[in-house]
Amino acid sequence: MNALRYAYNTNGLTSHRLDDALALLADTGYAGVALTLDVVHLDPFAEDAFRQAERVRSRCDELGLGVVVETGARFLLDPRVKHEPTLVSPSAEGRARRLAYLRLACDLAEVLDAEAVSFWAGVPRPEVDREEAWGRLVDGVRALVDSHGGRGYALAVEPEPGMLVEDCDGWARLAAAAPGITLALDTGHCVVAGGYAPEEAVTAFAHQLGTVAVEGMRRGVHDHLPLDEGDVDLPAVLRALRTAGFDRLVTLELSRDGHRAHQMVPRAMATLRAAETAGGEEAT
């Protein structure tokens, strides 16, 4: 079985300059970085965003780091409303703004030589008919695939608890309607949404995986925790990924722990290595 490659999400390194964060990850043994485009790290709307991306790619090459591009910044498009607008927003202008941003993220991903670009559906407003929202989502994803699919990176849609696509079955429905996407599987979300145990989801969707995230999470509670907390069977997840031959980056997202990243970055790596050992022992 292949060795897994780990990355840490920059949304959990918001108290670090990006260059310092990259060096910390490389020195701790990570193989990559999950780069959340945001006002803190590589603002995609900065005038020199593409020059910044070139510098980041050069620095990652020096450090031996791969890249996954993440697009889930909280207030990047609207400084007053978290995660809005989305591909399911009632406003055509809002949906167009989200689509334009995703296309920009894909262009930056090419410069960064990223393995994947991850994005999510969005939360439909209570007054909006869900099938109407679904049609908007399908139209937006198809448009993104038409303009940016088939490049060197995977276009990966992440099921997110509470969003229109909140579990793996929802992703499968979207993939049938908008061919050309892969699955951005956050294994912690599986214990929130139900349907599949995290390791079962890895096995069931092994051939559709564009990127995978791991973290601790408690059953039914959408709160990203350190890997050694919560209800995820991490050794089983890592064993399933190795068995599936998954060779892309496995990312870790602790977006609320940026203030203690100097502790969490090495703690997470130690937990991953211990889980690999435990998973290997269980498999023999």
Side-chain angles (χ1 to χ4, degrees), residues 152-216:
Y153 50 80
L155 276 176
V157 176
E158 179 183 2
E160 184 92 17
M163 292 195 176
L164 189 59
V165 175
E166 64 178 352
D167 58 24
C168 292
D169 288 336
W171 175 87
R173 181 189 175 196
L174 179 62
I181 61 170
T182 61
L183 172 61
L185 177 63
D186 188 312
T187 54
H189 291 170
C190 293
V191 301
V192 181
Y196 298 85
E199 63 274 16
E200 293 172 347
V202 170
T203 301
F205 295 91
H207 299 297
Q208 289 86 35
L209 296 176
T211 185
V212 172
V214 294
E215 70 277 312

Short mmCIF file of all heavy atoms in Angstrom, two decimals, residues 152-216:
data_model
loop_
_atom_site.label_atom_id
_atom_site.label_comp_id
_atom_site.label_asym_id
_atom_site.label_seq_id
_atom_site.Cartn_x
_atom_site.Cartn_y
_atom_site.Cartn_z
N GLY A 152 -5.36 20.15 -15.27
CA GLY A 152 -4.49 19.25 -14.53
C GLY A 152 -4.91 18.99 -13.11
O GLY A 152 -4.38 18.09 -12.46
N TYR A 153 -5.84 19.78 -12.58
CA TYR A 153 -6.31 19.60 -11.21
C TYR A 153 -7.71 18.98 -11.23
O TYR A 153 -8.42 19.02 -12.22
CB TYR A 153 -6.36 20.96 -10.49
CG TYR A 153 -7.10 22.01 -11.28
CD1 TYR A 153 -8.48 22.07 -11.28
CD2 TYR A 153 -6.40 22.94 -12.04
CE1 TYR A 153 -9.16 23.02 -12.02
CE2 TYR A 153 -7.07 23.90 -12.79
CZ TYR A 153 -8.44 23.93 -12.78
OH TYR A 153 -9.12 24.86 -13.52
N ALA A 154 -8.11 18.43 -10.09
CA ALA A 154 -9.47 17.89 -9.94
C ALA A 154 -10.39 19.00 -9.47
O ALA A 154 -10.06 19.77 -8.58
CB ALA A 154 -9.46 16.75 -8.92
N LEU A 155 -11.57 19.09 -10.09
CA LEU A 155 -12.64 19.97 -9.59
C LEU A 155 -13.44 19.14 -8.59
O LEU A 155 -14.16 18.22 -8.97
CB LEU A 155 -13.55 20.41 -10.74
CG LEU A 155 -13.12 21.61 -11.58
CD1 LEU A 155 -14.11 21.82 -12.71
CD2 LEU A 155 -13.02 22.86 -10.72
N ALA A 156 -13.33 19.49 -7.31
CA ALA A 156 -13.86 18.63 -6.26
C ALA A 156 -14.92 19.36 -5.45
O ALA A 156 -14.66 20.43 -4.89
CB ALA A 156 -12.73 18.16 -5.34
N VAL A 157 -16.11 18.78 -5.39
CA VAL A 157 -17.22 19.35 -4.61
C VAL A 157 -17.27 18.68 -3.25
O VAL A 157 -17.30 17.45 -3.15
CB VAL A 157 -18.56 19.18 -5.34
CG1 VAL A 157 -19.71 19.69 -4.47
CG2 VAL A 157 -18.54 19.92 -6.68
N GLU A 158 -17.31 19.51 -2.20
CA GLU A 158 -17.30 19.00 -0.83
C GLU A 158 -18.70 19.00 -0.23
O GLU A 158 -19.31 20.06 -0.08
CB GLU A 158 -16.38 19.85 0.05
CG GLU A 158 -16.36 19.39 1.50
CD GLU A 158 -15.51 20.29 2.38
OE1 GLU A 158 -14.97 21.30 1.87
OE2 GLU A 158 -15.40 19.99 3.58
N PRO A 159 -19.24 17.84 0.13
CA PRO A 159 -20.47 17.82 0.91
C PRO A 159 -20.23 18.46 2.28
O PRO A 159 -19.25 18.14 2.95
CB PRO A 159 -20.79 16.32 1.04
CG PRO A 159 -20.02 15.66 -0.06
CD PRO A 159 -18.78 16.48 -0.22
N GLU A 160 -21.11 19.34 2.67
CA GLU A 160 -20.94 20.09 3.91
C GLU A 160 -22.25 20.04 4.68
O GLU A 160 -23.31 20.38 4.14
CB GLU A 160 -20.58 21.54 3.57
CG GLU A 160 -20.27 22.40 4.76
CD GLU A 160 -18.79 22.44 5.11
OE1 GLU A 160 -17.97 22.06 4.26
OE2 GLU A 160 -18.48 22.87 6.23
N PRO A 161 -22.23 19.59 5.94
CA PRO A 161 -23.47 19.51 6.72
C PRO A 161 -24.22 20.84 6.72
O PRO A 161 -23.65 21.90 6.93
CB PRO A 161 -22.97 19.16 8.13
CG PRO A 161 -21.69 18.42 7.89
CD PRO A 161 -21.06 19.09 6.70
N GLY A 162 -25.52 20.76 6.42
CA GLY A 162 -26.37 21.93 6.38
C GLY A 162 -26.47 22.60 5.02
O GLY A 162 -27.33 23.46 4.81
N MET A 163 -25.58 22.22 4.08
CA MET A 163 -25.64 22.80 2.75
C MET A 163 -26.53 21.96 1.84
O MET A 163 -26.98 20.87 2.22
CB MET A 163 -24.23 22.93 2.17
CG MET A 163 -23.37 23.95 2.88
SD MET A 163 -21.90 24.39 1.94
CE MET A 163 -21.21 25.67 3.00
N LEU A 164 -26.79 22.46 0.64
CA LEU A 164 -27.67 21.74 -0.27
C LEU A 164 -27.10 20.37 -0.62
O LEU A 164 -27.84 19.40 -0.75
CB LEU A 164 -27.89 22.57 -1.54
CG LEU A 164 -28.97 22.04 -2.50
CD1 LEU A 164 -30.32 21.95 -1.80
CD2 LEU A 164 -29.05 22.92 -3.75
N VAL A 165 -25.80 20.29 -0.77
CA VAL A 165 -25.10 18.99 -0.90
C VAL A 165 -24.40 18.76 0.43
O VAL A 165 -23.36 19.36 0.71
CB VAL A 165 -24.10 18.99 -2.06
CG1 VAL A 165 -23.31 17.68 -2.09
CG2 VAL A 165 -24.82 19.20 -3.39
N GLU A 166 -24.99 17.92 1.26
CA GLU A 166 -24.45 17.77 2.61
C GLU A 166 -23.90 16.39 2.90
O GLU A 166 -23.31 16.18 3.97
CB GLU A 166 -25.50 18.12 3.66
CG GLU A 166 -26.72 17.23 3.72
CD GLU A 166 -27.68 17.65 4.84
OE1 GLU A 166 -27.29 18.54 5.64
OE2 GLU A 166 -28.78 17.10 4.91
N ASP A 167 -24.06 15.43 1.98
CA ASP A 167 -23.50 14.11 2.21
C ASP A 167 -23.09 13.48 0.89
O ASP A 167 -23.27 14.07 -0.18
CB ASP A 167 -24.50 13.21 2.96
CG ASP A 167 -25.83 13.05 2.23
OD1 ASP A 167 -25.88 13.22 0.99
OD2 ASP A 167 -26.84 12.75 2.90
N CYS A 168 -22.52 12.29 0.96
CA CYS A 168 -21.98 11.65 -0.24
C CYS A 168 -23.06 11.30 -1.25
O CYS A 168 -22.81 11.37 -2.46
CB CYS A 168 -21.20 10.38 0.16
SG CYS A 168 -19.69 10.72 1.08
N ASP A 169 -24.23 10.93 -0.79
CA ASP A 169 -25.31 10.62 -1.73
C ASP A 169 -25.76 11.89 -2.47
O ASP A 169 -26.08 11.84 -3.66
CB ASP A 169 -26.49 9.98 -0.99
CG ASP A 169 -26.19 8.56 -0.53
OD1 ASP A 169 -25.31 7.92 -1.14
OD2 ASP A 169 -26.84 8.11 0.43
N GLY A 170 -25.77 13.02 -1.77
CA GLY A 170 -26.06 14.28 -2.44
C GLY A 170 -25.01 14.61 -3.49
O GLY A 170 -25.34 15.10 -4.58
N TRP A 171 -23.74 14.34 -3.16
CA TRP A 171 -22.68 14.54 -4.14
C TRP A 171 -22.90 13.65 -5.36
O TRP A 171 -22.74 14.09 -6.51
CB TRP A 171 -21.30 14.25 -3.54
CG TRP A 171 -20.24 14.34 -4.60
CD1 TRP A 171 -19.57 15.45 -4.99
CD2 TRP A 171 -19.79 13.27 -5.44
NE1 TRP A 171 -18.72 15.15 -6.03
CE2 TRP A 171 -18.83 13.82 -6.32
CE3 TRP A 171 -20.09 11.91 -5.53
CZ2 TRP A 171 -18.18 13.05 -7.28
CZ3 TRP A 171 -19.45 11.15 -6.50
CH2 TRP A 171 -18.50 11.71 -7.36
N ALA A 172 -23.27 12.39 -5.14
CA ALA A 172 -23.48 11.47 -6.26
C ALA A 172 -24.60 11.95 -7.17
O ALA A 172 -24.52 11.85 -8.40
CB ALA A 172 -23.79 10.07 -5.72
N ARG A 173 -25.65 12.52 -6.58
CA ARG A 173 -26.74 13.08 -7.39
C ARG A 173 -26.22 14.25 -8.23
O ARG A 173 -26.55 14.36 -9.43
CB ARG A 173 -27.88 13.53 -6.48
CG ARG A 173 -29.06 14.11 -7.24
CD ARG A 173 -30.09 14.74 -6.31
NE ARG A 173 -31.15 15.41 -7.08
CZ ARG A 173 -32.01 16.29 -6.58
NH1 ARG A 173 -31.94 16.61 -5.29
NH2 ARG A 173 -32.92 16.84 -7.35
N LEU A 174 -25.41 15.10 -7.63
CA LEU A 174 -24.85 16.24 -8.37
C LEU A 174 -23.91 15.76 -9.47
O LEU A 174 -23.93 16.29 -10.59
CB LEU A 174 -24.12 17.17 -7.41
CG LEU A 174 -23.47 18.40 -8.05
CD1 LEU A 174 -24.53 19.30 -8.70
CD2 LEU A 174 -22.68 19.19 -7.00
N ALA A 175 -23.09 14.77 -9.18
CA ALA A 175 -22.14 14.27 -10.17
C ALA A 175 -22.86 13.67 -11.37
O ALA A 175 -22.37 13.76 -12.51
CB ALA A 175 -21.22 13.23 -9.53
N ALA A 176 -24.02 13.07 -11.13
CA ALA A 176 -24.79 12.52 -12.24
C ALA A 176 -25.36 13.63 -13.12
O ALA A 176 -25.49 13.47 -14.34
CB ALA A 176 -25.91 11.64 -11.70
N ALA A 177 -25.69 14.76 -12.50
CA ALA A 177 -26.28 15.88 -13.24
C ALA A 177 -25.22 16.79 -13.85
O ALA A 177 -25.50 17.50 -14.83
CB ALA A 177 -27.19 16.70 -12.31
N ALA A 178 -24.02 16.78 -13.27
CA ALA A 178 -22.94 17.66 -13.74
C ALA A 178 -21.65 16.85 -13.83
O ALA A 178 -20.76 16.98 -12.98
CB ALA A 178 -22.76 18.85 -12.80
N PRO A 179 -21.53 16.00 -14.86
CA PRO A 179 -20.33 15.18 -14.99
C PRO A 179 -19.07 16.03 -15.09
O PRO A 179 -19.09 17.15 -15.62
CB PRO A 179 -20.58 14.42 -16.30
CG PRO A 179 -22.06 14.45 -16.49
CD PRO A 179 -22.51 15.77 -15.93
N GLY A 180 -17.99 15.49 -14.54
CA GLY A 180 -16.71 16.20 -14.59
C GLY A 180 -16.22 16.65 -13.23
O GLY A 180 -15.11 17.17 -13.12
N ILE A 181 -17.03 16.44 -12.18
CA ILE A 181 -16.58 16.78 -10.84
C ILE A 181 -16.10 15.53 -10.11
O ILE A 181 -16.46 14.41 -10.46
CB ILE A 181 -17.69 17.46 -10.01
CG1 ILE A 181 -18.91 16.53 -9.85
CG2 ILE A 181 -18.08 18.79 -10.62
CD1 ILE A 181 -19.94 17.03 -8.85
N THR A 182 -15.26 15.75 -9.11
CA THR A 182 -14.84 14.69 -8.21
C THR A 182 -15.36 15.01 -6.81
O THR A 182 -15.97 16.06 -6.57
CB THR A 182 -13.31 14.56 -8.18
OG1 THR A 182 -12.74 15.80 -7.71
CG2 THR A 182 -12.77 14.23 -9.57
N LEU A 183 -15.11 14.11 -5.89
CA LEU A 183 -15.60 14.26 -4.52
C LEU A 183 -14.49 14.80 -3.62
O LEU A 183 -13.40 14.22 -3.55
CB LEU A 183 -16.08 12.90 -3.98
CG LEU A 183 -16.46 12.82 -2.50
CD1 LEU A 183 -17.62 13.76 -2.18
CD2 LEU A 183 -16.81 11.38 -2.12
N ALA A 184 -14.77 15.91 -2.95
CA ALA A 184 -13.90 16.40 -1.87
C ALA A 184 -14.49 15.84 -0.58
O ALA A 184 -15.45 16.38 -0.04
CB ALA A 184 -13.87 17.92 -1.84
N LEU A 185 -13.93 14.74 -0.12
CA LEU A 185 -14.50 14.01 1.01
C LEU A 185 -13.87 14.47 2.31
O LEU A 185 -12.69 14.23 2.55
CB LEU A 185 -14.28 12.51 0.84
CG LEU A 185 -14.77 11.63 1.99
CD1 LEU A 185 -16.28 11.73 2.16
CD2 LEU A 185 -14.34 10.17 1.79
N ASP A 186 -14.64 15.15 3.13
CA ASP A 186 -14.22 15.44 4.50
C ASP A 186 -14.74 14.30 5.36
O ASP A 186 -15.95 14.18 5.60
CB ASP A 186 -14.78 16.79 4.96
CG ASP A 186 -14.22 17.22 6.30
OD1 ASP A 186 -14.21 16.38 7.22
OD2 ASP A 186 -13.79 18.38 6.42
N THR A 187 -13.84 13.45 5.82
CA THR A 187 -14.26 12.24 6.52
C THR A 187 -14.94 12.57 7.86
O THR A 187 -15.80 11.82 8.31
CB THR A 187 -13.07 11.31 6.75
OG1 THR A 187 -12.01 12.02 7.41
CG2 THR A 187 -12.55 10.79 5.41
N GLY A 188 -14.56 13.69 8.47
CA GLY A 188 -15.24 14.09 9.70
C GLY A 188 -16.70 14.40 9.49
O GLY A 188 -17.55 14.11 10.34
N HIS A 189 -17.02 14.98 8.33
CA HIS A 189 -18.42 15.31 8.05
C HIS A 189 -19.30 14.06 8.00
O HIS A 189 -20.51 14.17 8.21
CB HIS A 189 -18.52 16.05 6.71
CG HIS A 189 -17.94 17.42 6.74
ND1 HIS A 189 -17.73 18.18 5.61
CD2 HIS A 189 -17.51 18.20 7.79
CE1 HIS A 189 -17.21 19.35 5.95
NE2 HIS A 189 -17.07 19.38 7.25
N CYS A 190 -18.71 12.92 7.73
CA CYS A 190 -19.51 11.69 7.65
C CYS A 190 -20.16 11.36 8.99
O CYS A 190 -21.27 10.81 9.01
CB CYS A 190 -18.63 10.51 7.20
SG CYS A 190 -18.03 10.64 5.49
N VAL A 191 -19.50 11.66 10.10
CA VAL A 191 -20.10 11.34 11.39
C VAL A 191 -21.13 12.39 11.80
O VAL A 191 -21.85 12.20 12.78
CB VAL A 191 -19.03 11.18 12.50
CG1 VAL A 191 -18.04 10.08 12.15
CG2 VAL A 191 -18.32 12.48 12.79
N VAL A 192 -21.20 13.49 11.05
CA VAL A 192 -22.24 14.49 11.28
C VAL A 192 -23.46 14.18 10.41
O VAL A 192 -24.59 14.14 10.90
CB VAL A 192 -21.72 15.90 10.96
CG1 VAL A 192 -22.81 16.95 11.22
CG2 VAL A 192 -20.48 16.22 11.79
N ALA A 193 -23.22 13.97 9.12
CA ALA A 193 -24.32 13.76 8.18
C ALA A 193 -24.91 12.36 8.25
O ALA A 193 -26.07 12.15 7.90
CB ALA A 193 -23.83 14.04 6.76
N GLY A 194 -24.12 11.38 8.71
CA GLY A 194 -24.59 10.01 8.73
C GLY A 194 -24.56 9.40 7.34
O GLY A 194 -24.03 9.96 6.39
N GLY A 195 -25.15 8.23 7.19
CA GLY A 195 -25.20 7.58 5.90
C GLY A 195 -24.03 6.63 5.68
O GLY A 195 -24.22 5.47 5.30
N TYR A 196 -22.83 7.12 5.88
CA TYR A 196 -21.62 6.32 5.72
C TYR A 196 -20.70 6.59 6.91
O TYR A 196 -20.51 7.75 7.31
CB TYR A 196 -20.85 6.69 4.45
CG TYR A 196 -21.58 6.48 3.15
CD1 TYR A 196 -22.45 7.45 2.65
CD2 TYR A 196 -21.40 5.31 2.40
CE1 TYR A 196 -23.11 7.27 1.45
CE2 TYR A 196 -22.06 5.13 1.21
CZ TYR A 196 -22.91 6.09 0.73
OH TYR A 196 -23.58 5.91 -0.46
N ALA A 197 -20.09 5.53 7.44
CA ALA A 197 -18.96 5.75 8.33
C ALA A 197 -17.82 6.31 7.49
O ALA A 197 -17.74 6.06 6.28
CB ALA A 197 -18.54 4.43 8.99
N PRO A 198 -16.91 7.10 8.07
CA PRO A 198 -15.86 7.71 7.27
C PRO A 198 -15.07 6.73 6.41
O PRO A 198 -14.85 6.96 5.22
CB PRO A 198 -14.97 8.38 8.32
CG PRO A 198 -15.90 8.70 9.43
CD PRO A 198 -16.88 7.56 9.47
N GLU A 199 -14.67 5.62 7.00
CA GLU A 199 -13.89 4.63 6.23
C GLU A 199 -14.74 3.97 5.15
O GLU A 199 -14.23 3.60 4.08
CB GLU A 199 -13.27 3.59 7.16
CG GLU A 199 -14.25 2.73 7.95
CD GLU A 199 -14.69 3.37 9.26
OE1 GLU A 199 -14.50 4.59 9.43
OE2 GLU A 199 -15.24 2.63 10.10
N GLU A 200 -16.05 3.82 5.40
CA GLU A 200 -16.95 3.26 4.38
C GLU A 200 -17.09 4.21 3.20
O GLU A 200 -17.14 3.77 2.04
CB GLU A 200 -18.32 2.99 4.99
CG GLU A 200 -18.34 1.88 6.03
CD GLU A 200 -19.68 1.77 6.75
OE1 GLU A 200 -20.51 2.69 6.63
OE2 GLU A 200 -19.88 0.75 7.44
N ALA A 201 -17.14 5.51 3.47
CA ALA A 201 -17.23 6.49 2.39
C ALA A 201 -15.98 6.45 1.52
O ALA A 201 -16.06 6.55 0.28
CB ALA A 201 -17.43 7.89 2.98
N VAL A 202 -14.81 6.32 2.14
CA VAL A 202 -13.57 6.22 1.36
C VAL A 202 -13.64 5.05 0.41
O VAL A 202 -13.33 5.16 -0.78
CB VAL A 202 -12.36 6.08 2.30
CG1 VAL A 202 -11.11 5.71 1.51
CG2 VAL A 202 -12.13 7.36 3.08
N THR A 203 -14.07 3.91 0.91
CA THR A 203 -14.13 2.70 0.08
C THR A 203 -15.19 2.82 -1.00
O THR A 203 -14.95 2.47 -2.16
CB THR A 203 -14.41 1.48 0.98
OG1 THR A 203 -13.37 1.36 1.95
CG2 THR A 203 -14.48 0.21 0.15
N ALA A 204 -16.36 3.32 -0.64
CA ALA A 204 -17.47 3.40 -1.59
C ALA A 204 -17.19 4.36 -2.74
O ALA A 204 -17.63 4.13 -3.87
CB ALA A 204 -18.75 3.80 -0.87
N PHE A 205 -16.46 5.43 -2.47
CA PHE A 205 -16.23 6.47 -3.48
C PHE A 205 -14.75 6.58 -3.87
O PHE A 205 -14.32 7.63 -4.37
CB PHE A 205 -16.74 7.82 -2.96
CG PHE A 205 -18.23 7.85 -2.75
CD1 PHE A 205 -18.78 7.50 -1.53
CD2 PHE A 205 -19.09 8.20 -3.79
CE1 PHE A 205 -20.16 7.50 -1.33
CE2 PHE A 205 -20.46 8.20 -3.60
CZ PHE A 205 -21.01 7.86 -2.37
N ALA A 206 -14.01 5.51 -3.68
CA ALA A 206 -12.56 5.55 -3.90
C ALA A 206 -12.19 6.06 -5.28
O ALA A 206 -11.21 6.81 -5.42
CB ALA A 206 -11.97 4.15 -3.68
N HIS A 207 -12.94 5.70 -6.30
CA HIS A 207 -12.57 6.07 -7.66
C HIS A 207 -13.03 7.49 -8.04
O HIS A 207 -12.68 7.97 -9.12
CB HIS A 207 -13.15 5.06 -8.65
CG HIS A 207 -12.64 3.67 -8.44
ND1 HIS A 207 -11.31 3.34 -8.59
CD2 HIS A 207 -13.28 2.52 -8.07
CE1 HIS A 207 -11.15 2.05 -8.33
NE2 HIS A 207 -12.32 1.54 -8.02
N GLN A 208 -13.79 8.14 -7.16
CA GLN A 208 -14.26 9.49 -7.44
C GLN A 208 -13.58 10.55 -6.57
O GLN A 208 -13.92 11.73 -6.66
CB GLN A 208 -15.78 9.57 -7.22
CG GLN A 208 -16.61 8.84 -8.26
CD GLN A 208 -16.79 7.37 -7.95
OE1 GLN A 208 -16.91 7.01 -6.78
NE2 GLN A 208 -16.82 6.54 -8.97
N LEU A 209 -12.62 10.15 -5.74
CA LEU A 209 -12.03 11.08 -4.79
C LEU A 209 -11.09 12.06 -5.48
O LEU A 209 -10.14 11.65 -6.15
CB LEU A 209 -11.26 10.31 -3.70
CG LEU A 209 -12.10 9.40 -2.80
CD1 LEU A 209 -11.19 8.64 -1.84
CD2 LEU A 209 -13.14 10.21 -2.02
N GLY A 210 -11.35 13.36 -5.28
CA GLY A 210 -10.45 14.38 -5.79
C GLY A 210 -9.53 14.90 -4.71
O GLY A 210 -8.37 15.23 -4.97
N THR A 211 -10.03 14.98 -3.49
CA THR A 211 -9.23 15.36 -2.33
C THR A 211 -9.96 14.84 -1.09
O THR A 211 -11.18 14.62 -1.12
CB THR A 211 -9.01 16.88 -2.26
OG1 THR A 211 -8.13 17.19 -1.16
CG2 THR A 211 -10.31 17.64 -2.09
N VAL A 212 -9.20 14.62 -0.02
CA VAL A 212 -9.76 14.07 1.21
C VAL A 212 -9.25 14.89 2.38
O VAL A 212 -8.08 15.30 2.41
CB VAL A 212 -9.34 12.59 1.39
CG1 VAL A 212 -9.76 12.07 2.77
CG2 VAL A 212 -9.97 11.72 0.29
N ALA A 213 -10.14 15.15 3.35
CA ALA A 213 -9.76 15.83 4.58
C ALA A 213 -10.04 14.93 5.78
O ALA A 213 -10.96 14.11 5.76
CB ALA A 213 -10.53 17.14 4.73
N VAL A 214 -9.22 15.07 6.80
CA VAL A 214 -9.42 14.34 8.05
C VAL A 214 -9.36 15.33 9.21
O VAL A 214 -8.69 16.35 9.13
CB VAL A 214 -8.34 13.24 8.26
CG1 VAL A 214 -8.46 12.16 7.21
CG2 VAL A 214 -6.93 13.84 8.25
N GLU A 215 -10.08 15.04 10.25
CA GLU A 215 -10.02 15.78 11.50
C GLU A 215 -10.85 15.03 12.52
O GLU A 215 -11.54 14.07 12.18
CB GLU A 215 -10.54 17.22 11.38
CG GLU A 215 -12.03 17.37 11.17
CD GLU A 215 -12.42 17.21 9.72
OE1 GLU A 215 -11.79 17.81 8.84
OE2 GLU A 215 -13.38 16.45 9.46
N GLY A 216 -10.79 15.43 13.77
CA GLY A 216 -11.67 14.87 14.76
C GLY A 216 -13.03 15.53 14.68
O GLY A 216 -13.14 16.72 14.39
#
